[in-house]
Amino acid sequence: MTFLTVISIVGSILVTPFLMLLVCIIFLASIGKSLGVRRLYVKVLLMIFEYGRKDIESAQKHKNNEIEEDEGYSEDTVTAEKVTELSNPSKPNGLKNGVVNGGNTLITRDEKLIFVPEPPTQQNKELSDEELKEEKYKDFDLSAVFDYVRAGVEAIIEDQVTSRFEAEELKNWNLLIRTNRGYEFISWKLTFIWICGFFIRYFFLFPLRVIICCFGIAMLVATTPLVGLLPKGAIKRWVNMRVYKMCFRVMSRSLSGSINIHNKQWRPACGSVCVANHTSPVDCVILSTDNCYSLIGQRHGGFLGIFQRALARASPHIWFERSETRDRHAVASRLKEHVSNPKNPPILIFPEGTCINNTSVMQFKKGSFEVGSIIYPVAIKYDARFGDAFWNSSRYSMLHYLYMMMTSWAIVCDVWYLPPMHQEEGETAIDFANRVKSVIAKQGGLVDLVWDGQLKRVRAKKEWKERQQEEFSKTLKAE
């Protein structure tokens, strides 16, 4: 028996169960059912991560004991602090899974000196004669700038913006090289587990996920033209909803997506606007497994262009040209036209306009809050222990990002549908956007920031600097 014959026999033995598994996954995804295998897979991974954490703690403790013996003094207190930090499940800054890269928890800022794009306006109040006299004859003191100098140095060490565009750093290692701290060789047991995980992810899960993803995309491209041939009416909307969710469910299985959806009674209704925090292009896939949406975005060419044209054949979506991007009124009018029809699917919008690393929510653009429609907020929170869903578009291409997602353990996330919100009487679009943003941040356990996410591409506006200078000048005002 030759070597090639052995390989062909082994291959035939392995290919058959592989194909059966593939067909089973696609079939169950198509009908929206699950056997609970992914949830069991997630539980097993958590057990492995917990074992790895304990093994790392034990190895580090043993290493510290050796250092104590060699140097001749005790570091019991320091060792205890390190072990406590590793084993403590709580995370700083209110984050669920970890901390932001570069986060320095030693910095505690004075709230009065946290720089924001638009400082809050102080209400006018009547001053007493003594206060008015003190305000009038206030003398300049050089020490008045010290607090601002300190705030500036703190911003250089750890600002509130740039850290939101870096991958979330985990407190415990998840056996992935991209979150490596040199732990894969800390003990032979952990090394064996890491090698096994490497082969499972790259030689079993990765090919399986690529095939499922390609099948899902091919299904979408092939079925949407057929849906588009149906006459407009209730039947076409029903078929489109089924096909839409079926295709995206198949694509979510290509990432081993485990999605926990809460508060389904507040699922976005037709003729409304759904807004959510934005971490990744996967957000659209995650939300589309449970509801049919109309999407809005810039028209693209290439692969994304094929995807957009396929969706547009079956249902109404808003794709605008690059020349229309700056024409806010043109886009707003198309939004109003869409939501004015109660039979149109809810339109899905990510008001941040860019991907944030799922530790915070940044400024919401006011355009989607000016259409006068009901707003359905949705909070999305990923569990970074199984795979970081954040897309750093300035560092990774779309293809590289998909490769990283498909070689991660899984995409595990929670989705919360929140009660519909209406713009109150006398409330501006900006205030309404901030109110919706705060609700999403609170539910998702995210940090609510006022900064514009576009700061990762452009410099701070000159007007913001001038406002800060005006605020400081008020403290030195002497008239």
Side-chain angles (χ1 to χ4, degrees):
M1 184 179 292
T2 63
F3 180 72
L4 293 177
T5 306
V6 173
I7 292 178
S8 62
I9 294 174
V10 174
S12 62
I13 294 174
L14 296 177
V15 166
T16 302
F18 182 84
L19 292 177
M20 291 179 63
L21 177 63
L22 179 64
V23 172
C24 181
I25 292 174
I26 293 175
F27 175 74
L28 290 174
S30 300
I31 62 176
K33 301 296 182 181
S34 175
L35 298 178
V37 176
R38 283 170 297 148
R39 299 190 185 279
L40 179 61
Y41 169 66
V42 168
K43 290 180 180 179
V44 172
L45 285 176
L46 287 175
M47 294 170 59
I48 295 174
F49 295 160
E50 179 65 15
Y51 173 80
R53 181 187 65 80
K54 292 180 179 179
D55 195 54
I56 291 171
E57 288 180 11
S58 177
Q60 287 185 334
K61 188 174 182 179
H62 179 71
K63 182 178 179 181
N64 290 334
N65 289 336
E66 290 181 350
I67 294 175
E68 291 173 12
E69 294 176 359
D70 292 341
E71 297 185 358
Y73 64 91
S74 175
E75 293 181 352
D76 292 338
T77 304
V78 178
T79 304
E81 290 178 355
K82 290 181 178 179
V83 173
T84 302
E85 180 183 354
L86 283 168
S87 59
N88 188 5
S90 63
K91 308 296 186 292
N93 301 328
L95 304 182
K96 180 179 179 182
N97 303 321
V99 296
V100 182
N101 254 352
N104 191 329
T105 55
L106 296 177
I107 293 180
T108 56
R109 293 183 171 87
D110 184 354
E111 292 184 359
K112 296 180 180 180
L113 295 177
I114 295 180
F115 296 133
V116 295
E118 297 185 8
T121 56
Q122 298 180 352
Q123 296 181 350
N124 295 328
K125 59 180 181 179
E126 295 183 0
L127 300 176
S128 62
D129 294 338
E130 292 185 5
E131 291 175 337
L132 186 62
K133 184 177 180 181
E134 183 179 351
E135 179 74 16
K136 183 176 180 180
Y137 298 103
K138 183 183 298 183
D139 294 329
F140 173 75
D141 189 351
L142 184 61
S143 63
V145 302
F146 287 175
D147 289 337
Y148 286 85
V149 172
R150 186 188 68 180
V153 174
E154 289 172 351
I156 293 173
I157 298 173
E158 177 199 4
D159 68 87
Q160 293 182 315
V161 178
T162 55
S163 60
R164 310 300 169 179
F165 306 116
E166 299 176 0
E168 185 178 355
E169 182 179 330
L170 301 177
K171 299 203 69 161
N172 297 320
W173 189 42
N174 61 354
L175 304 178
L176 295 179
I177 287 293
R178 65 200 65 155
T179 55
N180 182 22
R181 296 181 179 180
Y183 290 154
E184 67 269 26
F185 301 119
I186 202 167
S187 70
W188 70 268
K189 296 178 183 178
L190 206 59
T191 301
F192 177 76
I193 295 174
W194 171 69
I195 292 174
C196 291
F198 176 85
F199 278 96
I200 290 173
R201 288 186 295 110
Y202 283 90
F203 296 99
F204 176 70
L205 291 178
F206 180 59
L208 182 66
R209 290 168 175 173
V210 170
I211 295 173
I212 295 173
C213 182
C214 292
F215 185 87
I217 295 173
M219 183 189 300
L220 181 70
V221 174
T223 55
T224 48
L226 300 178
V227 176
L229 296 176
L230 296 174
K232 292 183 179 180
I235 296 178
K236 180 178 181 179
R237 291 192 297 270
W238 183 86
V239 173
N240 173 65
M241 181 181 66
R242 299 297 176 184
V243 169
Y244 181 92
K245 292 197 292 185
M246 179 178 65
C247 294
F248 279 101
R249 282 169 179 167
V250 172
M251 284 188 273
S252 71
R253 299 295 171 92
S254 68
L255 302 173
S256 299
S258 180
I259 308 166
N260 303 311
I261 299 178
H262 310 272
N263 308 328
K264 290 189 177 182
Q265 70 272 20
W266 291 321
R267 183 186 287 116
C270 293
S272 63
V273 175
C274 173
V275 297
N277 56 303
H278 196 27
T279 303
S280 154
V282 177
D283 295 340
C284 178
V285 178
I286 296 296
L287 295 177
S288 297
T289 59
D290 186 63
N291 198 10
C292 179
Y293 294 96
S294 291
L295 306 179
I296 180 173
Q298 183 177 307
R299 194 183 302 276
H300 292 275
F303 171 75
L304 285 178
I306 297 174
F307 195 77
Q308 289 178 333
R309 288 190 294 272
L311 289 172
R313 292 189 188 102
S315 60
H317 299 269
I318 301 177
W319 310 121
F320 49 82
E321 300 293 344
R322 183 181 296 272
S323 58
E324 295 181 283
T325 305
R326 297 185 181 277
D327 190 351
R328 185 169 58 87
H329 297 288
V331 177
S333 63
R334 296 180 66 180
L335 274 174
K336 291 180 180 178
E337 181 182 354
H338 180 93
V339 299
S340 63
N341 187 348
K343 296 181 180 180
N344 283 339
I347 189 159
L348 178 60
I349 301 177
F350 301 104
E352 290 169 297
T354 189
C355 295
I356 314 297
N357 69 356
N358 207 224
T359 62
S360 61
V361 183
M362 303 192 79
Q363 183 187 87
F364 277 11
K365 304 296 188 297
K366 65 178 181 178
S368 55
F369 300 90
E370 294 177 328
V371 297
S373 171
I374 301 175
I375 300 293
Y376 283 86
V378 176
I380 307 174
K381 179 61 180 178
Y382 293 92
D383 195 334
R385 292 175 295 181
F386 303 96
D388 187 9
F390 168 60
W391 180 34
N392 188 346
S393 57
S394 60
R395 184 176 180 182
Y396 301 112
S397 64
M398 174 63 76
L399 190 62
H400 191 179
Y401 169 75
L402 291 176
Y403 163 76
M404 291 173 63
M405 290 297 96
M406 291 186 180
T407 54
S408 298
W409 292 112
I411 297 299
V412 180
C413 71
D414 287 277
V415 176
W416 289 273
Y417 293 132
L418 302 175
M421 302 179 67
H422 303 264
Q423 188 171 3
E424 297 177 353
E425 186 177 354
E427 186 178 33
T428 65
I430 295 177
D431 293 335
F432 186 30
N434 289 333
R435 184 159 60 91
V436 173
K437 177 166 68 77
S438 64
V439 169
I440 292 176
K442 183 178 180 180
Q443 179 62 73
L446 307 170
V447 181
D448 188 357
L449 297 177
V450 297
W451 294 101
D452 186 356
Q454 297 300 326
L455 284 173
K456 72 176 181 180
R457 298 185 179 91
V458 298
R459 292 181 176 272
K461 296 180 180 178
K462 183 180 178 181
E463 293 82 1
W464 296 352
K465 300 178 183 179
E466 292 176 349
R467 290 193 189 103
Q468 295 293 343
Q469 293 170 355
E470 290 176 3
E471 288 296 312
F472 177 68
S473 66
K474 292 178 183 178
T475 64
L476 306 176
K477 189 174 182 181
E479 296 179 355

